[in-house]
Amino acid sequence: MAGPGQAFLGMLPPSICVFCGANQGTLPAYVSATRDLGRALAREGVRIVYGGAAIGLMGALADAALEAGGGVVGVVPSRFPDGGVHQGLTELHVVPGMHERKALMAKLSQAYVVLPGGLGTIDEMFEALTWAQLGLHRKPLAILDVEGYFAPILEFLQRAYDQRFLLRPVGEVLSVAADVDGILACLRNGSRMGGAPAGAAFGPAAENGRAGS
């Protein structure tokens, strides 16, 4: 499998890990955007790797991709709620726990997309982002910011950079898009699109004399 995200410039990675919630949230737009992403990746021949659930946004993602003829790989911990595992997946991997789950999802993918979700989704996103900041991977990482859901987190990341808790601007390793077409563009252009919305621009690498390293 290819390593750096730049290996896929102009094309989509063959497998993309999608982090999203096991609940649907309060806005219909969350489900609509999730289903749109599932269908779009299936049409592009991209295999989806996700958390394996049949419910919430995870279930909506898998159902939409499978209905469109796409491949969907689920990764679940052995202690998973009864009835929560999707039964129609292309592949299903059962692992001992949550740490192994994230590790296998990363191993099976060449890029990450983050959709709205709760603590599990945010945990997964921040681990991928931390590893990118440390240079442990160069896979594209993109947020589908439906209805501004991630705005508070993007503001926090900007503040962390401004206060010098981050030595590199997050925009070097994280892209943000408001719709599925934008996400596909981010993925085709690698992880350094810098596509954060207005108010969440993470600044140039050397702003105020801070090296982006």
Side-chain angles (χ1 to χ4, degrees):
M1 291 185 180
Q6 283 79 358
F8 302 107
L9 285 176
M11 58 186 290
L12 292 174
S15 294
I16 293 175
C17 177
V18 180
F19 300 134
C20 58
N23 295 299
Q24 291 190 351
T26 60
L27 300 181
Y30 297 147
V31 177
S32 296
T34 300
R35 290 186 61 84
D36 287 347
L37 179 66
R39 285 190 290 263
L41 294 180
R43 287 196 299 267
E44 295 283 349
V46 174
R47 183 179 72 162
I48 293 172
V49 178
Y50 86 119
I55 57 176
L57 296 188
M58 285 200 278
L61 174 76
D63 289 342
L66 291 167
E67 290 164 6
V72 183
V73 178
V75 183
V76 299
S78 57
R79 299 180 66 177
F80 203 75
D82 292 339
V85 179
H86 201 296
Q87 300 301 309
L89 301 176
T90 309
E91 296 178 28
L92 179 64
H93 299 268
V94 180
V95 296
M98 298 298 286
H99 294 298
E100 294 86 356
R101 184 194 205 187
K102 289 187 288 186
L104 183 56
M105 291 169 73
K107 181 179 179 180
L108 294 174
S109 309
Q110 296 85 41
Y112 300 97
V113 172
V114 187
L115 293 164
L119 291 179
T121 300
I122 303 306
D123 169 61
E124 291 163 338
M125 181 189 79
F126 269 102
E127 182 166 300
L129 182 57
T130 300
W131 286 25
Q133 281 262 313
L134 294 173
L136 299 179
H137 77 76
R138 298 180 66 194
K139 299 177 182 180
L141 173 58
I143 288 176
L144 179 51
D145 190 22
V146 184
E147 299 291 333
Y149 179 79
F150 288 97
I153 291 177
L154 297 174
E155 291 172 4
F156 160 74
L157 292 172
Q158 177 66 57
R159 180 170 177 79
Y161 176 65
D162 290 341
Q163 297 297 315
R164 303 190 183 185
F165 286 104
L166 299 178
L167 298 183
R168 300 174 62 194
V170 178
E172 290 187 0
V173 293
L174 174 66
S175 301
V176 183
D179 55 34
V180 171
D181 287 342
I183 284 291
L184 297 182
C186 290
L187 294 171
R188 286 193 172 98
N189 285 280
S191 62
R192 289 162 175 77
M193 276 285 291
F202 297 109
E207 182 183 1
N208 296 328
R210 288 166 287 187
S213 60

